[in-house]
């Protein structure tokens, strides 16, 4: 296969071309190039989105599950659609898609792969400390930029995943340009008409159906291409009495408007219903009595009764993207978007107490909170709508210099509340509904209202970067970003204080960037990066009586990274070293009865990462990747909580003719559930091995997948509620690998 570099495409716009086609060095059809409106586009005419995807046409890159771009300026891992489709269960969430990459780990997901929510960690940075984007749009919760892995974008809506392990350039946008970015890219439209349906059935009565229809290029509409798809999932769940249902609808249209302008419209809708307490996970006592997969029961006298604990989630995401070449060497892009999240949860207040025990008024503290016996629970609502617009323009100033500049505005409106009630009575009932008291503000408050608040978030980011090519093969890109972030609360009962609140706080930050990439040869490059990262304070810094006592500043990081990428005819290698100095760690203390937020200390993240793939001539490939990751508190010199000390992945893949086969394994190293590295909270290393075998008959194809092949059910995380560590009588909640799951899929293509 040739080593010629194929025409560069930005993956933020390259939703129409699979990595396999890119890596094969094939001539790309017109529909594939969504970064250039209606025509092939060279790398120098594409607006930066933080991930330059340029690969060479080699056997290794064609079959590799993970690779990196020769033109990257920071450590990177690109996960192909073919790997997602051929080697992972159809129910996998986006954390599972990224899990194969170096330094990425995932916890949660106890109920099965993609069935219950998981949380990703990148180099030890927790969810909310790095960005997740979809088609270049950062998304996340409005109280902090955390994510729900099975709520917005199931795997049927994702073409490719690019994990950038660093803040990127100045053009890389988000609330958490801190630990890196997990960039998801939407499914591609195609030039040819077609349809496919996937149906699967597996362990725990899990079944899925996934249709997808491609209109092809509609000549009557100027070559418009439309993609419509959907997915329905049902499962009884791995854990006891924990069924799950998911419906997803997805639509996308790519509309050429003349030879130099293109419009993309995208919408996805998701609805989930599942039975699970708000704070899930069995205690050690429950594990001893009922097993590792205990969650709920069928006893109406127990707080763990499954009908008392359930959640409905509804989301949507809409995007309008305009791309235009408005003059030679001048390109403009605009993304207007909105997304919605609604979480309605009904749950027992505490499911860690053994089933069958009815709480009494005396045990609950009847003098202040209750007037009768009952089972304490609460109804929780978290509902928000976010609006935003991202505008970018690129101007080629000279043959060796171009400027990219733009801005991002975003605002959100959120309503959050939690009302307590007797779950056994099926409503607010007779307990604590009419209980009221006079607060320190002299006003009357109702005990059953834990919190009821409206909040708003507004942010603006402006950036500019200058890409210079002083000599052939060398690109140096200095950049600068300025941002402002405002949070406000208007509450009849604020969270934590339970008092009325009308607060607002603003922060701003200036961030410098400097990256470089040097093409040593046409298949070997080296890169270096300095970048300052940023993480906005969460809404919880306004959960106090008087926020003017706060001195908290945004968390920042100084990132230093160097690395190399090599793409040979059969061998693909990349490796890097990173050093991240994280400052302004959020902390709080109680002063005169009020919780005050401030900054204290930080963490030093340091490590090495690498990945290698070797491809033989017969469609067989071997790959391995890994990382050594330190994340040590500056004061204690101990590894911070939930930060594995290393990762590794390895596997064999075979794809030739109608046969495909893969066996992959992901290793997550030792970690601790607490910052003190308490021996009782040490989480041992664990593996997850996935086997997939498929055969394509032409119109029909069949595939079998087994995840957690060796049935590992080790602890992945611990929610610390009380001590001592590892005590069977304690209320700490444990999360385990879900164990072996098998499924068989039938695919039909038309």
């Amino acid at each position: 296969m040739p080593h010629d570099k194929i025409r560069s495409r930005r993956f933020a716009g390259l939703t129409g071309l699979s990595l396999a086609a890119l890596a094969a060095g094939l001539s790309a059809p017109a529909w594939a190039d969504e970064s250039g409106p209606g025509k092939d586009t060279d790398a120098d005419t594409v607006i930066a989105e933080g991930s330059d995807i340029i690969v060479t046409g080699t056997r290794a890159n064609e079959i590799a599950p993970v690779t990196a771009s020769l033109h990257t300026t920071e450590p990177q891992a690109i996960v192909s659609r073919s790997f997602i489709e051929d080697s992972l269960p159809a129910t996998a969430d986006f954390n599972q898609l990224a899990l194969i990459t170096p330094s990425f780990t995932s916890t949660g997901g106890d109920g099965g792969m993609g069935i219950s929510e998981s949380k990703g960690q990148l180099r030890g940075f927790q969810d909310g400390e790095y960005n997740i984007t979809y088609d270049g749009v950062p998304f996340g919760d409005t109280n902090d930029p955390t994510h729900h892995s099975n709520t917005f974008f199931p795997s049927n809506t994702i073409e490719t995943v690019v994990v950038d392990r660093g803040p990127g350039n100045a053009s890389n946008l988000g609330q958490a340009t801190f630990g890196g970015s997990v960039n998801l890219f939407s499914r591609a439209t195609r030039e040819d008409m077609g349809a496919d349906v996937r149906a699967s059935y597996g362990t725990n009565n899990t079944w899925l159906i996934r249709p997808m229809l491609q209109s092809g290029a509609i000549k009557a509409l100027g070559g418009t291409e439309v993609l419509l798809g959907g997915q329905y999932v049902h499962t009884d769940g791995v854990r006891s009495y924990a069924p799950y249902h998911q419906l997803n609808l997805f639509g996308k249209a790519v509309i050429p408007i003349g030879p130099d302008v293109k419009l993309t419209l995208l919408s996805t809708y998701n609805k989930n219903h599942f039975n699970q307490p708000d704070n899930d996970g069995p205690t050690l006592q429950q594990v001893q009595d009922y097993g590792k997969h205990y969650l709920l029961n069928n006893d109406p006298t127990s707080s763990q009764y499954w009908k008392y604990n359930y959640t409905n989630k509804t989301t949507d995401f809409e995007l309008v993207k305009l791309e235009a070449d408005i003059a030679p060497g001048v390109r403009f892009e605009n993304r207007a978007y909105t997304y919605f999240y609604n979480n309605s949860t009904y749950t027992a207040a505490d499911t860690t107490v053994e089933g069958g025990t009815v709480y009494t008024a005396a045990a609950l503290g009847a003098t202040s909170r209750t007037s009768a016996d009952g089972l304490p629970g609460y109804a929780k609502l978290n509902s928000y709508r976010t609006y935003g617009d991202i505008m970018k323009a690129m101007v080629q100033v000279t043959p060796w210099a171009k400027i990219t500049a733009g801005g991002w505005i975003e605002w959100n409106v959120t309503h959050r509340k939690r009302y307590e009630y007797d779950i056994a009575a099926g409503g607010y009932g007779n307990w604590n509904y009419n209980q009221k008291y006079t607060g320190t503000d002299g006003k009357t408050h109702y005990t059953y209202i834990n919190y009821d608040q409206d909040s708003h978030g507004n942010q603006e980011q402006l950036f500019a970067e200058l890409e210079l090519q002083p000599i052939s093969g060398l690109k140096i890109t200095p950049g600068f970003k300025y941002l402002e972030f405002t949070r406000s609360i208007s509450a009849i009962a604020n969270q934590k204080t339970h008092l009325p609140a009308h607060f607002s706080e603003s922060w701003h930050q200036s961030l410098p960037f400097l990256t470089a990439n040097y093409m040593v040869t046409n298949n070997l490059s080296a890169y270096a990066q300095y970048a300052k990262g940023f993480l906005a304070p969460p809404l919880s810094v306004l959960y106090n009586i008087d926020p003017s006592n706060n001195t908290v500043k945004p968390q920042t990081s100084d990132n230093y990274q160097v690395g190399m990428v090599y793409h040979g005819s059969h061998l693909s290698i990349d490796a890097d070293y990173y050093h991240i100095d994280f400052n302004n760690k959020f902390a709080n203390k109680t002063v005169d009865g009020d919780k005050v937020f401030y900054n204290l200390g930080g963490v030093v993240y340091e490590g090495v990462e690498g990945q290698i793939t070797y491809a033989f001539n017969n469609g067989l490939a071997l790959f391995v990747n890994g990382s050594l990751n330190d994340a040590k508190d500056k004061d204690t010199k101990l590894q911070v909580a939930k930060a594995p000390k290393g990762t590794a992945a390895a596997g064999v893949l075979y794809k030739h003719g109608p046969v495909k086969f893969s066996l992959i394994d992901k290793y997550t190293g030792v970690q601790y559930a607490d910052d003190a590295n308490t021996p009782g909270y040490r989480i041992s290393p664990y593996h997850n091995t996935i086997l997939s075998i498929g055969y394509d008959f032409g119109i029909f194809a069949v595939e079998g997948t087994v995840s957690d092949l060796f049935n590992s059910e080790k602890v992945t995380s611990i929610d610390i509620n009380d001590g001592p560590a590892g005590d069977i009588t304690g209320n700490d909640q444990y999360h385990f690998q879900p164990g072996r799951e098998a499924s068989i899929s039938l695919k039909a293509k038309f």
Side-chain angles (χ1 to χ4, degrees), residues 339-638:
Y339 59 89
F340 171 76
Y341 174 85
N342 190 91
N343 174 348
S344 180
T345 294
Y346 297 85
T347 181
D350 183 3
T351 59
T352 63
V353 178
E354 283 293 277
T357 300
V358 176
Y359 287 78
T360 65
L364 293 167
T367 55
S368 62
R369 299 192 61 80
T370 69
S371 58
D373 296 348
L375 291 176
Y378 57 85
K380 184 182 78 171
L381 175 70
N382 180 13
S383 183
Y384 60 79
R385 169 69 70 177
T386 296
Y387 306 87
D389 190 87
I390 299 172
M391 181 176 65
K392 298 184 179 184
M394 183 274 292
V395 179
Q396 190 76 44
V397 181
T398 71
W400 47 269
K402 68 178 179 182
I403 296 175
T404 302
W408 177 33
I409 58 172
E410 184 179 86
W411 63 100
N412 60 67
V413 179
T414 304
H415 182 59
R416 301 174 70 246
K417 64 181 181 180
R418 174 175 154 178
Y419 285 15
E420 298 180 357
Y421 73 110
D422 179 359
I423 57 177
Y428 297 119
N430 60 356
W431 121 188
N432 85 357
Y433 180 71
N434 292 315
Q435 296 297 309
K436 55 188 178 182
Y437 64 96
T438 301
T440 56
D441 57 355
K443 297 181 179 180
T444 299
H445 304 276
Y446 290 91
T447 308
Y448 72 92
I449 301 178
N450 188 285
Y451 59 84
D452 191 334
Q453 63 182 208
D454 293 309
S455 64
H456 297 78
N458 299 279
Q459 65 173 323
E460 302 83 34
Q461 296 191 15
L462 298 174
F463 76 90
E465 56 190 39
L466 175 63
E467 183 181 285
L468 302 171
Q469 294 182 273
I471 61 174
S472 177
L474 176 63
K475 291 184 179 180
I476 302 173
T477 309
F480 179 82
K481 178 159 55 185
Y482 176 79
L483 55 91
E484 291 188 355
F485 196 91
T486 300
R487 292 190 182 278
S488 62
I489 280 181
S490 178
I492 60 175
N494 201 8
Q495 195 162 344
K496 303 300 183 182
T497 68
H498 315 297
L499 298 173
H502 300 278
F503 303 142
S504 181
E505 191 73 39
S506 296
W507 303 271
H508 60 87
Q509 191 73 38
S510 298
L511 305 174
F513 299 81
L514 179 63
T515 63
N517 179 287
Y518 180 60
M519 294 291 297
V520 181
T521 66
N522 69 341
N523 61 358
L524 174 64
S525 68
Y527 60 85
Q529 177 189 62
Y530 166 74
K532 197 169 190 69
F534 161 86
L535 180 62
L539 186 66
S540 59
V541 301
L542 299 182
Y543 296 167
N544 47 12
I545 298 173
D546 185 1
S548 65
N549 293 326
N550 293 337
T551 60
V552 67
K553 299 178 181 178
Q555 295 183 141
T556 59
S557 63
D558 289 284
N559 297 254
Y560 304 87
Q561 307 192 90
V562 294
M564 56 77 63
V565 179
Y566 171 77
H567 290 169
S569 59
H570 291 266
L571 183 66
S572 176
I573 304 175
D574 64 85
D576 67 88
Y577 163 78
Y578 67 91
H579 178 93
I580 304 171
D581 188 358
F582 154 38
N583 299 297
N584 293 347
K585 189 175 182 180
F586 295 145
N588 63 78
K589 59 185 176 181
T590 300
V591 178
D592 296 330
D594 189 15
K595 183 176 287 187
V596 176
F597 293 85
Y598 63 104
N599 300 105
L600 176 67
V603 181
V604 173
Y605 296 81
E606 189 172 33
V608 293
E609 304 160 320
Q611 51 195 21
I612 302 174
T613 299
Y614 187 86
F616 298 89
N617 290 327
N618 59 357
L620 178 68
L622 306 175
F623 82 93
V624 62
N625 66 50
S627 64
L628 297 174
N629 308 99
D630 273 339
K632 292 183 177 177
D633 185 278
K634 290 183 179 180
D635 297 320
T636 66
K637 310 303 180 185
L638 297 174

Side-chain angles (χ1 to χ4, degrees), residues 42-65:
D42 187 82
D44 294 332
T45 67
V46 182
I47 294 181
E49 296 294 345
S51 298
D52 282 318
I53 307 302
I54 300 178
V55 296
T56 52
T58 67
R59 296 184 187 278
N61 283 330
E62 183 178 4
I63 198 171

Side-chain angles (χ1 to χ4, degrees), residues 169-183:
N169 296 327
S171 58
N172 193 35
L173 302 173
Q175 291 184 31
T177 56
F178 192 61
S181 295
V182 175
N183 305 300

